[in-house]
């Protein structure tokens, strides 16, 4: 049983501006082209790719077969046979299997499923990029093998004869498409010192596969080079269509019935508050270029510190006359700056560079720093709500996305304690931490909403939300909207495996339709003091919660001092924030 008490249920808008008719005019206006246009683009260039590769193959097997270096390929294959040892043969078998069909299909499927399970909008394109790059490479490879009939090297081959011809190396081409594609996504999505290492290892795999195919006598050197080129061309063509702005874009969210209040703005002095642990020099230069393009000359870059994560810098920037505050960091940096800017008329532009980036995900901002800033500066200023929270040993402050106590706070504390895992994996480190703290015991609590009679509950987790969706597209608070003048509350209390399954089913469903008479039913439950199931949802303006025992607590992803009391209330329209057009 799931209890829902909800106020406004209007959907967040996410539609982009309507496309202008005609491809050329759409390109000039900067509106993303549609799926059909991109399919035509990929098909046309894939045909050109196949024609190019076939032409090179016919040249190698025809007029150029007696020219260097093609003429000496047999000698190279013979020399590799002479180098064979038991250990090298075993290693070559492992490397070769990294590019065989079952392995490539499995890695592609798992990678695409993993990308789809990540944040809702941005990573559908990345999953399609991988799937189409591998598929396109395979189709072109089949065309090549039909058109170019090249015999395999005249040496002892360690693998059985394959039905395809020697040119090109299918193993090498497939490995280039999948592992090269993963390397591209690693460099564009991951942050931290390990992303270059991970991308380098992924890029090395196709070369190891090619070397193994040569060692095992299955291809000539030019066949392996052809496989590398074929895979790279597929990545380039599909990546250009799917990962470049101005082509295809992610699906849009539903449109909101009432548009939030928007304000006109004029360029002036910009202050960039950045967290140096998650913002590199390349990001700073890119942000500087975007600001200059939008008329903000000589922006001031101000780093946060351990003692001051962004609030003091934002307040000082406003005192010194900043007309725009750009916050470049994670949810913690945003929370500190938003707390300082609460009630101010100075707009905030969010550049998501952290692990969670919850507010950015919920308002439709791109997750690449330069893209996010450009989208915000092309948009308009909107009034968003903030939550105000305080408790024992917790001074009054604001939160922008979510705050809570219990299981989620324990998970965040564990993820922060495993800092290296978090820097390498990104937000999936939270899932790893969650598995470690699932046995966090439940506690009794008393909750009072908007001055109504107190409710008694037990819970493993209590979550206040100004937004509803977290990483992976999971909706914890279906009715939460950052501009509806209300906060939302989730009380999670699953009991046993069946309770966890019911709670998970409720959360994955991502909706909380309010039936007629829900408020009356809520009032009757308050009088009776009954439980409402493994997952209960409430909407409120002010909530007071007292736990029977001290609980771990968190504010916008940052663990804070444990305690027994929390009071949360909404501050409607407290934050002025630049949002992309159609992003809310």
């Amino acid at each position: 049983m799931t209890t829902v008490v909800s106020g406004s249920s209007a959907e967040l808008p996410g539609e982009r501006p309507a496309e202008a008719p005609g491809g050329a005019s759409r390109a000039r206006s900067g509106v993303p082209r549609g799926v059909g246009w991109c399919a035509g683009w990929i098909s046309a260039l894939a045909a050109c790719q196949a024609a190019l590769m076939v032409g090179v193959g016919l040249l190698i097997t025809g007029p150029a077969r007696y020219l260097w270096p093609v003429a000496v390929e047999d000698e190279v294959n013979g020399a590799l046979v002479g180098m064979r040892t038991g250990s090298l043969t075993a290693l070559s078998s492992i490397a070769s299997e990294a590019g065989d069909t079952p392995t490539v299909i499995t890695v592609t499927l798992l990678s695409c499923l993993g990308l789809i399970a990540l944040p809702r909008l941005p990573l559908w394109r990345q999953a399609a990029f991988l799937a189409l790059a591998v598929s396109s490479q395979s189709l072109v490879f089949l065309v090549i093998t039909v058109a170019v009939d090249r015999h395999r090297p005249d040496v002892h081959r360690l693998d059985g004869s394959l039905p395809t011809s020697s040119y090109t190396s299918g193993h090498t081409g497939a490995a280039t498409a999948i592992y090269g594609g993963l390397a591209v996504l690693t460099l564009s999505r991951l942050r931290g010192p390990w992303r270059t290492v991970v991308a380098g290892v992924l890029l090395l795999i196709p070369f190891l596969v090619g070397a193994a195919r040569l060692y095992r006598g299955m291809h000539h050197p030019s066949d392996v080079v052809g496989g590398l080129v074929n895979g790279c061309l597929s990545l380039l063509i599909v990546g250009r269509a799917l990962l470049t702005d101005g082509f295809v874009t992610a699906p849009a969210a539903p449109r909101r019935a009432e548009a939030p209040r928007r304000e006109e703005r004029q360029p002036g002095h910009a202050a960039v508050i950045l967290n140096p642990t998650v913002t590199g020099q390349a990001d700073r230069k890119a942000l500087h270029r975007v600001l200059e393009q939008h008329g903000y000359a000589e922006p001031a870059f101000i780093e946060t510190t351990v003692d001051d994560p962004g609030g003091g810098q934002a307040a000082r920037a406003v005192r010194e006359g900043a007309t725009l505050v750009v916050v470049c960091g994670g949810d913690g940096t945003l929370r500190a700056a938003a707390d300082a800017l609460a009630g101010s008329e100075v707009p905030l532009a969010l550049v998501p560079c952290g692990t969670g980036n919850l507010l950015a995900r919920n308002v439709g901002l791109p997750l690449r720093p330069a893209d996010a800033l450009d989208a915000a500066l092309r948009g308009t200023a909107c009034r968003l709500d903030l939550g105000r929270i305080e408790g024992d040993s917790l001074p009054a402050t604001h939160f922008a996305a979510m705050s809570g106590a219990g299981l989620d706070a324990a998970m965040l504390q564990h993820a922060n304690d495993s800092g290296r895992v978090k820097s390498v994996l990104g937000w999936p480190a939270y899932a790893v931490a969650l598995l470690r703290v699932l046995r966090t015991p439940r506690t009794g609590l008393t909750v009072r909403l908007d001055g109504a009679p107190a409710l008694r509950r037990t819970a493993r987790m209590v979550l206040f939300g100004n937004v509803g969706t977290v990483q992976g597209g999971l909706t914890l608070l279906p009715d939460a909207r950052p501009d509806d003048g209300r906060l939302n509350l989730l009380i999670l209390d699953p009991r046993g495996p069946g309770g966890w399954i019911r709670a998970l089913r409720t959360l994955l469903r991502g909706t909380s339709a309010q039936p007629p008479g829900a408020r009356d039913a809520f009032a009757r439950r308050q009088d009776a003091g009954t439980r409402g199931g493994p997952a209960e949802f409430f909407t409120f303006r002010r909530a007071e919660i007292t736990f029977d025992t001290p609980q771990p607590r968190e504010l916008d992803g940052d663990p804070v001092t444990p305690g027994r009391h929390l009071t949360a209330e909404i501050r409607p329209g407290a934050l002025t924030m630049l949002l992309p057009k159609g992003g809310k």
Side-chain angles (χ1 to χ4, degrees):
M1 174 183 176
T2 300
T3 304
V4 181
V5 178
S6 165
S8 171
S9 59
E11 297 291 340
L12 277 177
E15 295 184 356
R16 298 177 182 270
E19 295 184 0
S25 60
R26 283 196 301 265
R28 286 192 298 268
S29 64
V31 177
R33 292 186 169 103
V35 174
W37 192 96
C38 288
W41 161 277
I42 293 174
S43 299
L45 289 188
C48 296
Q49 174 187 345
L52 173 64
M53 298 303 300
V54 168
V56 173
L58 294 176
L59 182 65
I60 290 174
T61 57
R65 66 181 182 274
Y66 300 118
L67 301 177
W68 187 92
V70 179
V72 299
E73 287 189 317
D74 291 338
E75 298 178 14
V76 174
N77 287 113
L80 290 173
V81 170
M83 295 171 56
R84 288 175 180 171
T85 65
S87 299
L88 288 177
T89 298
L91 291 174
S92 72
S93 176
I94 296 173
S96 180
E97 288 179 0
D100 66 12
T101 300
T103 301
V104 170
I105 292 176
T106 301
V107 172
T108 303
L109 286 176
L110 291 177
S111 300
C112 291
L113 289 174
L115 289 167
I116 291 171
L118 291 173
R120 291 173 302 169
L121 299 182
L123 298 189
W124 284 95
R125 284 195 293 178
Q126 282 76 357
F129 161 68
L130 279 185
L132 288 177
V134 173
S135 301
S136 175
Q137 185 281 146
S138 300
L139 290 174
V140 172
F141 164 73
L142 292 176
V143 172
I144 295 170
T145 57
V146 170
V148 182
D149 186 16
R150 189 181 197 187
H151 296 293
R152 297 189 181 275
D154 189 17
V155 297
H156 175 65
R157 296 188 286 274
L158 298 180
D159 296 328
S161 297
L162 300 176
T164 54
S165 70
S166 182
Y167 176 88
T168 61
S169 170
H171 282 63
T172 307
T176 303
I178 180 58
Y179 301 112
L182 288 172
V184 170
L185 298 185
T186 297
L187 291 173
S188 63
R189 302 298 304 179
L190 292 185
R191 297 192 177 278
W194 289 98
R195 71 170 186 164
T196 304
V197 175
V198 173
V201 171
L202 289 169
L203 290 174
L204 181 61
I205 294 177
F207 292 94
L208 294 177
V209 171
R213 302 303 288 167
L214 289 175
Y215 175 90
R216 301 180 71 80
M218 301 307 297
H219 294 285
H220 306 89
S222 57
D223 302 333
V224 170
V225 173
L228 290 169
V229 172
N230 190 37
C232 288
L233 287 176
S234 294
L235 288 174
L236 180 63
I237 292 170
V238 177
R240 169 63 177 163
L242 296 184
L243 301 183
T244 304
D245 290 342
F247 285 74
V248 74
T249 187
R255 181 181 294 274
R256 184 182 174 89
E258 283 188 20
R261 288 171 289 169
R262 299 182 181 271
E263 301 174 356
E264 298 299 326
R265 57 187 173 82
Q266 297 294 329
H269 171 59
V272 183
I273 312 300
L274 58 91
N275 184 338
T277 64
V278 295
T279 310
Q281 287 297 328
D283 289 331
R284 300 187 193 197
K285 292 179 181 178
L287 296 178
H288 193 283
R289 286 194 298 269
V290 173
L291 286 167
E292 285 188 332
Q293 291 169 2
H294 286 271
Y296 292 95
E298 301 299 329
F301 284 78
I302 310 168
E303 294 186 357
T304 64
T305 64
V306 175
D307 296 329
D308 190 345
Q313 295 88 341
R316 185 169 62 253
V318 173
R319 288 197 303 268
E320 295 175 354
T323 58
L324 170 69
V325 174
V326 179
V327 177
C328 186
D331 292 324
T333 308
L334 169 64
R335 188 203 64 79
D339 183 58
L341 294 175
S344 168
E345 298 297 323
V346 177
L348 180 151
L350 176 58
V351 177
C353 294
T355 305
N357 303 317
L358 294 188
L359 186 61
R361 298 177 196 274
N362 279 268
V363 298
L365 278 170
L367 296 184
R368 295 183 63 179
D371 294 345
L373 181 57
D374 183 66
L377 293 177
R378 291 180 185 277
T380 51
C382 302
R383 293 284 193 168
L384 298 187
D385 305 334
L386 289 176
R388 184 181 183 276
I389 192 166
E390 61 183 319
D392 50 325
S393 303
L394 179 63
T397 186
H398 292 88
F399 67 93
M402 293 181 179
S403 179
L407 184 63
D408 69 318
M411 173 195 70
L412 291 166
Q413 181 65 63
H414 192 282
N416 285 359
D417 291 342
S418 306
R420 177 167 296 182
V421 175
K422 183 178 176 182
S423 64
V424 172
L425 295 182
W427 75 258
Y430 293 142
V432 176
L434 180 61
L435 296 176
R436 301 287 184 89
V437 299
L438 270 179
R439 299 181 66 86
T440 299
R442 64 173 44 86
T443 184
L445 61 93
T446 301
V447 56
R448 186 188 301 272
L449 303 179
D450 295 331
L455 284 172
R456 279 296 296 175
R457 290 291 188 267
T458 59
R460 292 184 183 273
M461 181 178 86
V462 169
L463 186 67
F464 301 120
N466 191 34
V467 297
T469 300
V470 297
Q471 299 91 336
L474 180 64
T475 301
L476 296 182
L477 294 161
D479 293 325
R481 300 291 182 268
D483 62 344
D484 63 356
R486 292 175 177 269
L487 289 174
N488 289 70
L489 170 66
L490 165 63
I491 299 179
L492 186 70
D493 187 28
R495 295 172 180 264
W500 280 106
I501 292 173
R502 290 194 301 275
L504 183 61
R505 184 168 62 241
T506 299
L507 298 177
L508 290 176
R509 191 164 58 236
T511 57
S512 64
Q514 181 182 352
R519 289 188 177 277
D520 295 337
F522 176 48
R524 290 194 299 272
R525 264 198 336 278
Q526 286 180 312
D527 294 337
T530 58
R531 291 187 68 253
E536 290 186 276
F537 302 93
F538 304 101
T539 303
F540 66 92
R541 293 184 176 85
R542 177 181 173 85
E544 302 171 56
I545 293 183
T546 301
F547 301 97
D548 292 352
T549 58
Q551 295 295 302
R553 301 181 293 190
E554 58 91 5
L555 298 178
D556 277 335
D558 287 338
V560 294
T561 306
R564 294 184 56 234
H565 303 285
L566 282 176
T567 299
E569 60 183 336
I570 190 68
R571 286 201 60 191
L575 180 66
T576 303
M577 184 171 173
L578 297 184
L579 297 181
K581 294 179 179 178
K584 266 191 47 52

